[in-house]
Amino acid sequence: MTGAHSPGGAQRYALLSVAAAIATISLKLVAWHLTKSVGLLSDAVESVVNLLAAVVALWALRVAAEPPDAEHHFGHEKAEYLASAFEGLAILGASIAIALTAWNRIADPRPIESAWLGLAVSTVASAINGAVAFVLFRAGKRLDSITLRSDAHHLM
């Protein structure tokens, strides 16, 4: 059984991932604003990738749930593999952006402000990601969805 056989279930989990990404982006931007830490800014940028990946996953799950048609005799399940490939490319793009930001901070170092408060806010965001990843792992296995499992791996 694939995730395409349970479109509503898999798509609900993708919506959970979208909501978690929005929450963590917000929290990580607050943490960055408090600290001015490039590390926390890069974490927020990576969360934007989480959001993009979750939106693409939602799209892929909707496409994969479509029944076979004249052009796709065996269905549309391969859309899930495209979502997984997109997620990998998005991670690569984010890593390049993070490296450039870090290089600029190395060239122009600044002190970190309110480190403990920023780390506390960031820890809450990480806990959200961890909890959602756990839920997505279980759902991906149960629904046999490579998209949900890929999203879970990325969140971890």
Side-chain angles (χ1 to χ4, degrees), residues 8-140:
Q11 290 175 32
R12 279 193 298 272
Y13 288 107
L15 285 171
L16 172 66
S17 187
V18 169
I22 291 169
T24 58
I25 289 168
S26 301
L27 288 168
K28 290 175 181 183
L29 286 174
V30 167
W32 168 72
H33 180 72
L34 291 169
T35 65
K36 306 299 186 244
S37 164
V38 170
L40 292 176
L41 176 61
S42 69
D43 204 17
V45 169
E46 201 278 327
S47 291
V48 171
V49 172
N50 290 352
L51 177 59
L52 290 173
V55 169
V56 170
L58 180 60
W59 166 83
L61 290 167
R62 285 190 175 153
V63 170
E66 293 177 11
D69 57 29
E71 291 182 27
H72 304 94
H73 301 288
F74 300 103
H76 298 82
E77 293 178 12
K78 289 186 180 180
E80 288 199 58
Y81 293 97
L82 292 174
S84 295
F86 172 81
E87 192 154 354
L89 290 173
I91 292 168
L92 178 62
S95 66
I96 291 169
I98 290 166
L100 291 173
T101 303
W103 183 260
N104 289 337
R105 183 53 61 96
I106 289 170
D108 183 23
R110 296 182 199 149
I112 293 177
E113 304 167 11
S114 304
W116 290 111
L117 183 57
L119 287 174
V121 172
S122 185
T123 299
V124 171
S126 295
I128 291 169
N129 274 346
V132 172
F134 177 77
V135 169
L136 292 179
F137 271 128
R138 291 185 62 163

